[in-house]
Amino acid sequence: QVQLVESGGGLVQAGGSLRLSCEASGRTFSAYAGAWFRQVPGKAREFVAGISWNSGITAYPVSVKGRFTISRDNAKNTVYLQMNSLKPEDTADYYCAADRRSRPGSSVDDYTYWGQGTQVTVSS
C-alpha cells in the first residue's frame, strides 16, 4: 500500500504561482510512477502531469505544457507540481496519484493509489 498526502493548495491571483507537494508513505515510492490530476465539480478528472520513477519521462497535456512542471525527490518520497502563469480555468481540486508502472499514464485507470486532494483557486 502507498498513502499519498497532498499539500500546497490555496488561493492565488491569475498570473501567480503555486507549488503542490505529494508526500508518499508505505512501500518504496521510488519504484512508482507519479502523476497529478485535477477535477472540477460535475466534470471528469483530468490529467495534468506525470513522471516516471527516475524522472526520465515527464508528460503534460497541451493545456498546461510550458506552465506546469512535475518533479520528484525520491529521497523525500515526494512529487511536486510547480504551477506558473496560473489562469482562472486552472481552478480545481488537484489530486496526486501513483502506480507501479514504468511510464506515467494519462488515464485515471492507470493509477492505483490516490491522495485526498488539495484545492487550488485562481482569481481573475
Side-chain angles (χ1 to χ4, degrees):
Q1 289 288 334
V2 173
Q3 292 79 42
L4 304 173
V5 178
E6 302 97 335
S7 62
L11 173 65
V12 63
Q13 287 190 330
S17 299
L18 278 177
R19 188 176 82 154
L20 305 183
S21 299
C22 172
E23 186 171 357
S25 60
R27 293 182 179 267
T28 306
F29 185 62
S30 60
Y32 287 68
W36 289 92
F37 287 74
R38 65 187 180 188
Q39 188 171 24
V40 298
K43 292 192 175 182
R45 197 164 288 191
E46 174 190 22
F47 174 72
V48 173
I51 189 167
S52 61
W53 69 273
N54 64 351
S55 304
I57 300 170
T58 58
Y60 306 91
V62 171
S63 58
V64 307
K65 199 166 188 177
R67 299 189 299 122
F68 290 10
T69 303
I70 190 170
S71 61
R72 67 190 297 162
D73 185 339
N74 286 339
K76 296 182 178 179
N77 285 345
T78 302
V79 174
Y80 303 98
L81 183 68
Q82 178 67 44
M83 305 186 294
N84 298 328
S85 302
L86 282 162
K87 305 175 182 179
E89 52 263 44
D90 294 319
T91 295
D93 292 323
Y94 282 71
Y95 296 88
C96 178
D99 198 85
R100 194 179 179 94
R101 53 189 297 118
S102 58
R103 301 175 66 91
S106 59
S107 169
V108 294
D109 295 331
D110 292 331
Y111 295 91
T112 303
Y113 303 103
W114 292 86
Q116 294 300 307
T118 185
Q119 188 173 50
V120 172
T121 303
V122 184
S123 63
S124 56

